[in-house]
Amino acid sequence: MPQASSEEPFLIFLPSLSFQSESTMSLSYRDATLDDLPAIVAIYNSTVASRQVTADLEPVSVESRLAWFHAHGPQKRPLWVVDDAEAPGRLLGWLSFSDFYGRPAYQRTAEVSIYLDERARGKGLGKQLLAASLAAAPALGIDTVLGFIFGHNQASLRLFRGFGFDTWGSLPRVAVLDGVERDLVILGKRLDARGAAS
């Protein structure tokens, strides 16, 4: 599968997937540039208050995410962004492949994270991004994909399980969000030789 280029958006069509909503968005993504970082951070920060998605308790700064941004690159650990076709210069969401545990023996394993702008949630974009990531993973040298999801985030658990992810671990009550102890569920999927997203 061709890799996303920072010069041109990468289009992927997923005819084997069926979506319930008529408002499903078509997917066009590209590799992020440093100019995208403020919008990436804004989307991330928009999820903090929900206490569903991230263990950050306060919004983060763009400066605090620079090292994280530079740890990504299109050849091994891409950071993809989805442009808003109706509002140039705005992003609808992003997906990152991140190292698992940072040791060389784990280089074929990556964590996938998906964050969507509020306007893009519930329209099938997360499903399309996850499918695209699973399809792209083998060419990136990834054969094991992980998701770290709060146990009370049922929507994200359903999304990943819908693509064949299984529960590989459960860390009970490891996060405290507004005084409530929350579980962290580790979902995993081993990809076959073709990188099937089923």
Side-chain angles (χ1 to χ4, degrees):
M1 170 173 281
Q3 295 203 6
S5 160
S6 55
E7 290 84 37
E8 295 180 27
F10 181 72
L11 300 174
I12 186 166
F13 300 97
L14 303 166
S16 62
L17 296 176
S18 61
F19 300 106
Q20 301 288 329
S21 170
E22 290 183 14
S23 62
T24 297
M25 304 176 131
S26 62
L27 181 62
S28 172
Y29 65 87
R30 61 177 171 80
D31 289 313
T33 68
L34 192 56
D35 289 339
D36 295 315
L37 189 56
I40 290 168
V41 169
I43 290 170
Y44 180 86
N45 283 338
S46 76
T47 69
V48 171
S50 74
R51 303 299 194 243
Q52 292 282 318
V53 182
T54 174
D56 276 310
L57 301 175
E58 299 292 334
V60 301
S61 68
V62 172
E63 293 75 24
S64 73
R65 301 303 284 167
L66 281 169
W68 169 84
F69 177 87
H70 290 299
H72 292 84
Q75 301 306 313
K76 291 285 183 189
R77 296 293 186 259
L79 173 58
W80 296 337
V81 294
V82 179
D83 291 305
D84 186 343
E86 296 176 6
R90 292 192 65 175
L91 299 182
L92 291 176
W94 55 269
L95 178 144
S96 65
F97 291 85
S98 297
D99 285 341
F100 169 70
Y101 205 62
R103 301 288 193 275
Y106 297 116
Q107 69 182 350
R108 296 189 61 81
T109 299
E111 176 189 355
V112 168
S113 299
I114 300 170
Y115 286 82
L116 302 178
D117 183 90
E118 292 174 277
R119 296 167 298 133
R121 294 174 194 158
K123 298 181 178 178
L125 184 58
K127 186 181 283 189
Q128 292 179 77
L129 278 169
L130 185 54
S133 73
L134 295 175
L140 298 168
I142 297 167
D143 54 31
T144 303
V145 181
L146 302 174
F148 291 75
I149 301 172
F150 283 136
H152 63 288
N153 184 346
Q154 292 301 312
S156 292
L157 290 171
R158 273 193 309 274
L159 171 63
F160 277 70
R161 287 179 175 143
F163 280 88
F165 282 76
D166 293 315
T167 299
W168 286 3
S170 180
L171 305 175
R173 300 168 26 192
V174 294
V176 180
L177 303 170
D178 297 331
V180 180
E181 293 177 324
R182 298 294 191 174
D183 301 346
L184 181 66
V185 179
I186 302 170
L187 297 180
K189 180 177 177 71
R190 181 83 178 166
L191 302 177
D192 65 20
R194 296 165 297 142
S198 60

